[in-house]
Amino acid sequence: MGPEKCFSAVNGGFETRSLQKGRSLVRHFQTLLGKTRAGLDLNQFRNGWNTTQNREFGVRRCYSTEETPESSTEVEVELLHPLLVQKAEQLKVEYNGLAQEMSSESGSGFDQVKATRMSRLGFVVDLFDQYESMEKEYQELLHLLNDPSLKEEAESELKSVESNLTALTATLQSKLVPTNPFVDKACILELRPGVGGSEAAIFANDLLTMYENYAIKNKWDTRMISITKTPAGNGIVEAIFNINAAGAYERLQYEGGVHRVQRIPETETKGRVHTSTAAVVVLPTEVMEPGADESKAGEEAERTFQANEVRVDVMRARGAGGQHVNTTDSAVRLTHIPSGIVVVIQDERSQHKNKAKAFTILRARLDEIERQEKVREERSKRTAQVTTTERSDKIRTYNYPQNRITDHRCGSTTYKLDDVVKGEINEFNEVVDQMDAFAKTEAMKQLLEDQASSL
Amino acid sequence: MRGRGVPLQYIIGSQPFGDLDIKCARGVLIPRWETEEWTLKLAQLLQYQQLIEQDQNSSRPHSQMTVVDLCTGTGCIPLSLASKLRNTVAYGVDISQKAVKLFKSNIKSVNRSRRLDKRNSKVIPAQGDISIDPYVFCEKTGITDADIVTANPPYIGRREFFSQTERSVRLYEPHQALLGGLEFYRWIYDLSVHLQAKGLVCEVGNAGQIDFMRSLGAKNGWSSSEFHDLNGHPRAVVMWKDPSWSFLEAL
Ligand SMILES: C[S@@+](CC[C@H](N)C(=O)[O-])C[C@H]1O[C@@H](n2cnc3c(N)ncnc32)[C@H](O)[C@@H]1O
């Protein structure tokens, strides 16, 4: 790292900044803090987070490079997301109210419901009190760094406070936010070209390569379930791809939707920029044990269906079959009768394997539909209007001439398209993180709007 | 070659069958997906039955199971069953020398993956003609008894052979593996009785063959059912002598 100092108060809504030579990072940080401490409105400081939307969830990173610009010591602490602070404060108000009621009603008997609620809230309120005092201590320590005579002690003290604070944040967070049951899942990706003819098929293939590389670089176990290439060989008609690694779904869950590309196709002679699209579907799946039998998974999936729920069609339905014919056509077509969903797999020479794969995919698709149903139902229970973030038509644009990727859902833009499409972990993660932060903020907003908050 | 109608499996040298890659060579019939379908289902049923038994007599050592597959060809049926079941001895018998040789080589390659050892199972090849006297047959093959007999005998009649088979089948697959009729079902039934089999599963080409087998068995107290393949064709007759083997009906 050069002599330039860098500062990133992620949680506060400040972009990463390069400070001018000679200026002290810590001092800069303190000026900011000074402002907030001077009562300039802590909430505004916190709410800044919402509007930039492109920062990581709940993490404030602070790189201290004072005096030793070459060997920067990274100080990292996780603070509670502002919206969660808000929620905790609400709960505290409720708790105090209940406490008061209970004591004033002491004569009129014991209310079991209120008591249970109170003891539940008490646990969180207690944690939150600890958190607040710890955060205060933390900020005071940051102040002390200014004083050369106290700096050393302050620094060592800071270390322990930071780790305590981070741990508290994690506990509180888990109490305040319902946990996502899908974080540990593996996933299946389905890719298909959209509008734009052969260029769309090429783009779909590019996306596939991106995901494959990203998975490989993460050392994730991957498996092509089914792929149909275009006759030219440089595009795909369809690809179904399994990443069998816990956490793969967590990283790729936002990939579902229509991706749009703007570039000059290789075949374009006049140098015009074309726009085409490709569609991606992401399905959460269970993680299979390494070396587990693929067809066994299919058999298990098959067992989850009723006898007449799925129609299985195999090729060459005409003629006597058996010893009379020797077919190498092993395609299997499943029709899920209640929903009309059709899965065709013709990838393997083995009909048995094709059938197993088809059942695995059918199960995953139906599970995903069910999951989305549930989400929608819960949301409509809470608010009359359904947010448009989900399933908006174009989720992302890949603009090659500008080397730019824009995510239309969270509004973030990066100019590292080349690295992202190569599946480079850091660059790809950046795109995901921005969307993740956005989605989580949205989820938390929902949570706060939810008056009948369950705890 | 492919253009002339040579089956792809003879060119590549193999055909997937369940989880196995079965070697194929000219002179031996290529396993069909219809056979694969019922064989895998049967394996599942037997597997399940073994689990139940194990639950019931957890103190006793696992009981042995003997499978005898007649007209075994590449050996795809006994190999599939033995690679899925525990403590199983699976015999495969064929009249053709070429078939037995290929079967042996298939046993070797499946053994290499330790699938059989792991389950304490083994597959034994034998050359034999199922049309001869059952006593002589047993003497020659060393088979003394069976829990279950399976078979996919040649079942295409002469007239059908010219009118209803695919050209490449007619030209490139062994006629001995294809041409046959009710006599084969009679031999298989007689052998099953002789080996005191509790169950029998036999592939067929038409419903008449099923009816023939069922009527043979019905006279001697066998229960039976039929299996239809994914295309809806009658594909196998399922019979059991021992009431404890009625689970076969689920095929
Ligand atoms: C339709 S093929 C079945 C091969 C294998 N079981 C399969 O399903 O792929 C019939 C087999 O029966 C054998 N066969 C024909 N006549 C026989 C006989 N009299 N005794 C024993 N095997 C015979 C043939 O050599 C051929 O391999």
Side-chain angles (χ1 to χ4, degrees):
Chain A
M1 205 188 195
E4 282 190 343
K5 319 215 159 159
C6 135
F7 165 64
S8 159
V10 170
N11 211 12
F14 297 95
E15 298 284 335
T16 303
R17 284 161 199 217
S18 296
L19 301 183
Q20 284 177 350
K21 258 187 202 167
R23 260 182 87 190
S24 148
L25 156 73
V26 175
R27 216 173 310 129
H28 183 75
F29 191 29
Q30 280 158 1
T31 357
L32 292 170
L33 271 171
K35 264 194 208 161
T36 65
R37 304 211 115 213
L40 243 174
D41 189 3
L42 192 62
N43 269 330
Q44 209 171 51
F45 174 78
R46 282 168 171 159
N47 286 339
W49 200 89
N50 292 339
T51 48
T52 45
Q53 288 170 349
N54 52 355
R55 304 284 80 185
E56 235 171 291
F57 176 53
V59 181
R60 178 182 292 176
R61 284 207 179 87
C62 163
Y63 303 94
S64 160
T65 57
E66 191 169 39
E67 284 176 353
T68 50
E70 296 309 314
S71 65
S72 63
T73 52
E74 187 175 311
V75 189
E76 202 166 288
V77 63
E78 284 197 27
L79 294 181
L80 206 56
H81 188 281
L83 287 171
L84 290 181
V85 171
Q86 217 173 307
K87 180 170 183 187
E89 277 161 357
Q90 274 177 12
L91 294 176
K92 197 168 163 176
V93 170
E94 189 188 348
Y95 176 83
N96 290 336
L98 278 173
Q100 220 162 34
E101 266 178 59
M102 294 286 274
S103 64
S104 64
E105 282 170 11
S106 53
S108 63
F110 186 73
D111 187 333
Q112 185 58 50
V113 180
K114 278 183 190 162
T116 318
R117 175 83 182 145
M118 230 184 99
S119 77
R120 268 203 212 157
L121 288 177
F123 183 67
V124 177
V125 169
D126 205 36
L127 277 174
F128 185 58
D129 286 344
Q130 282 180 45
Y131 173 84
E132 279 190 314
S133 72
M134 187 81 73
E135 199 205 0
K136 207 169 150 202
E137 198 180 326
Y138 170 68
Q139 310 220 336
E140 278 163 9
L141 281 170
L142 284 179
H143 247 328
L144 291 184
L145 286 179
N146 242 3
D147 185 339
S149 63
L150 293 172
K151 189 167 172 284
E152 220 161 286
E153 280 112 284
E155 263 176 358
S156 74
E157 186 67 11
L158 205 53
K159 280 230 156 61
S160 85
V161 170
E162 270 161 6
S163 73
N164 284 339
L165 202 49
T166 301
L168 259 177
T169 302
T171 322
L172 259 175
Q173 209 159 275
S174 70
K175 296 286 168 224
L176 292 168
V177 188
T179 46
N180 180 351
F182 291 95
V183 283
D184 292 331
K185 298 271 180 208
C187 70
I188 289 175
L189 293 177
E190 298 185 11
L191 296 103
R192 290 175 193 87
V195 295
S198 60
E199 168 65 3
I202 295 170
F203 178 54
N205 197 21
D206 292 342
L207 289 178
L208 175 66
T209 311
M210 170 172 83
Y211 297 129
E212 275 181 313
N213 286 345
Y214 178 67
I216 290 164
K217 287 175 185 171
N218 273 303
K219 301 201 167 54
W220 286 341
D221 181 21
T222 65
R223 211 159 36 87
M224 188 62 71
I225 294 177
S226 165
I227 184 163
T228 314
K229 297 233 169 208
T230 51
N234 57 354
I236 53 171
V237 177
E238 181 190 71
I240 304 178
F241 177 59
N242 174 219
I243 303 180
N244 186 40
Y249 180 74
E250 190 273 326
R251 284 284 88 186
L252 298 172
Q253 59 181 320
Y254 306 114
E255 299 305 304
V258 175
H259 298 237
R260 179 170 73 169
V261 66
Q262 294 171 327
R263 65 180 172 196
I264 304 163
E266 271 168 36
T267 49
E268 166 66 49
T269 45
K270 295 194 187 100
R272 278 179 308 200
V273 172
H274 286 221
T275 298
S276 357
T277 64
V280 178
V281 176
V282 187
L283 308 170
T285 56
E286 296 302 327
V287 181
M288 273 205 305
E289 278 171 48
D293 195 339
E294 211 178 289
S295 25
K296 200 162 265 164
E299 280 163 22
E300 245 152 58
E302 185 174 352
R303 242 171 274 144
T304 64
F305 292 98
Q306 302 286 319
N308 292 321
E309 213 179 332
V310 181
R311 198 180 69 220
V312 184
D313 291 309
V314 293
M315 296 302 129
R316 304 262 187 137
R318 270 169 296 136
Q323 289 166 19
H324 299 80
V325 294
N326 166 30
T327 172
T328 42
D329 194 345
S330 54
V332 173
R333 177 191 168 97
L334 300 186
T335 312
H336 183 242
I337 294 163
S339 66
I341 291 176
V342 172
V343 180
V344 182
I345 298 289
Q346 48 195 4
D347 224 49
E348 302 254 359
R349 285 209 290 137
S350 158
Q351 191 171 73
H352 168 65
K353 284 192 185 139
N354 284 339
K355 188 171 141 215
K357 283 177 171 184
F359 267 108
T360 308
I361 291 164
L362 180 62
R363 185 71 270 160
R365 281 192 195 163
L366 287 167
D367 286 350
E368 173 63 5
I369 288 173
E370 203 178 298
R371 189 188 70 81
Q372 284 178 2
E373 268 315 281
K374 234 183 250 163
V375 170
R376 213 164 295 142
E377 221 170 76
E378 256 160 43
R379 203 172 287 167
S380 64
K381 250 190 253 161
R382 273 203 297 259
T383 49
Q385 130 229 29
V386 176
T387 49
T388 49
T389 48
E390 167 206 27
R391 303 254 150 211
S392 64
D393 43 357
K394 284 175 295 284
I395 64 158
R396 228 180 256 157
T397 294
Y398 300 69
N399 186 300
Y400 277 71
Q402 298 171 13
N403 202 31
R404 165 177 68 85
I405 292 182
T406 298
D407 196 305
H408 303 296
R409 296 162 298 185
C410 62
S412 77
T413 286
T414 168
Y415 288 92
K416 296 176 194 160
L417 178 144
D418 47 352
D419 289 328
V420 176
V421 298
K422 270 188 236 150
E424 296 293 350
I425 293 187
N426 289 337
E427 286 74 10
F428 189 91
N429 276 345
E430 255 172 56
V431 174
V432 176
D433 286 342
Q434 305 211 336
M435 185 53 212
D436 196 46
F438 171 74
K440 281 180 172 150
T441 312
E442 289 295 301
M444 271 184 282
K445 279 189 197 156
Q446 289 277 354
L447 214 71
L448 288 171
E449 278 166 27
D450 181 2
Q451 284 311 92
S453 77
S454 59
L455 188 73
Chain B
M1 277 199 292
R2 183 100 180 97
R4 277 184 269 139
V6 178
L8 183 68
Q9 295 91 334
Y10 286 155
I11 300 170
I12 298 176
S14 73
Q15 165 68 22
F17 195 89
D19 308 324
L20 306 177
D21 217 21
I22 295 290
K23 290 186 191 172
C24 295
R26 287 204 197 204
V28 184
L29 186 107
I30 297 159
R32 306 292 201 254
W33 67 261
E34 288 94 337
T35 312
E36 179 189 28
E37 192 196 351
W38 68 255
T39 303
L40 294 183
K41 264 192 138 169
L42 176 63
Q44 244 180 38
L45 283 181
L46 294 172
Q47 229 173 3
Y48 187 59
Q49 211 52 35
Q50 282 194 330
L51 282 180
I52 293 175
E53 247 172 60
Q54 196 184 323
D55 263 6
Q56 284 165 350
N57 351 294
S58 48
S59 53
R60 270 198 285 151
H62 307 310
S63 52
Q64 284 275 340
M65 163 121 72
T66 307
V67 177
V68 174
D69 181 50
L70 304 172
C71 304
T72 204
T74 55
C76 52
I77 300 169
L79 281 165
S80 275
L81 295 177
S83 69
K84 299 224 164 189
L85 300 171
R86 304 192 168 281
N87 306 308
T88 297
V89 178
Y91 292 92
V93 189
D94 203 286
I95 196 172
S96 142
Q97 210 174 339
K98 266 190 189 155
V100 176
K101 196 175 150 220
L102 185 64
F103 179 25
K104 283 181 181 163
S105 130
N106 271 318
I107 296 174
K108 228 185 237 159
S109 75
V110 174
N111 260 337
R112 222 170 284 135
S113 65
R114 307 248 139 246
R115 276 170 198 258
L116 302 175
D117 296 4
K118 261 199 302 209
R119 292 176 174 77
N120 192 29
S121 293
K122 67 178 172 187
V123 178
I124 301 172
Q127 196 170 356
D129 179 354
I130 63 165
S131 68
I132 61 173
D133 182 279
Y135 287 94
V136 184
F137 176 87
C138 288
E139 194 115 302
K140 281 202 162 165
T141 57
I143 301 170
T144 55
D145 61 283
D147 290 306
I148 179 163
V149 170
T150 55
N152 176 17
Y155 52 61
I156 303 175
R158 285 201 175 271
R159 212 174 310 146
E160 244 177 289
F161 184 72
F162 292 99
S163 62
Q164 286 183 34
T165 57
E166 218 177 34
R167 207 179 93 94
S168 80
V169 170
R170 228 167 25 236
L171 287 180
Y172 294 97
E173 293 197 276
H175 294 182
Q176 193 181 32
L178 298 163
L179 283 167
L182 294 180
E183 69 284 4
F184 275 88
Y185 292 96
R186 159 126 248 149
W187 297 329
I188 290 164
Y189 174 74
D190 286 347
L191 264 174
S192 302
V193 171
H194 183 82
L195 293 169
Q196 293 179 303
K198 299 166 187 136
L200 166 61
V201 179
C202 195
E203 187 170 319
V204 300
N206 59 51
Q209 291 159 345
I210 293 185
D211 295 339
F212 177 71
M213 276 295 243
R214 293 183 81 161
S215 69
L216 282 182
K219 287 180 207 136
N220 292 306
W222 289 72
S223 310
S224 61
S225 64
E226 46 193 271
F227 169 83
H228 289 245
D229 65 27
L230 277 176
N231 269 339
H233 295 301
R235 191 53 69 203
V237 56
V238 184
M239 318 223 298
W240 58 97
K241 174 85 179 176
D242 190 324
S244 69
W245 278 66
S246 62
F247 65 85
L248 285 180
E249 193 173 4
L251 198 75

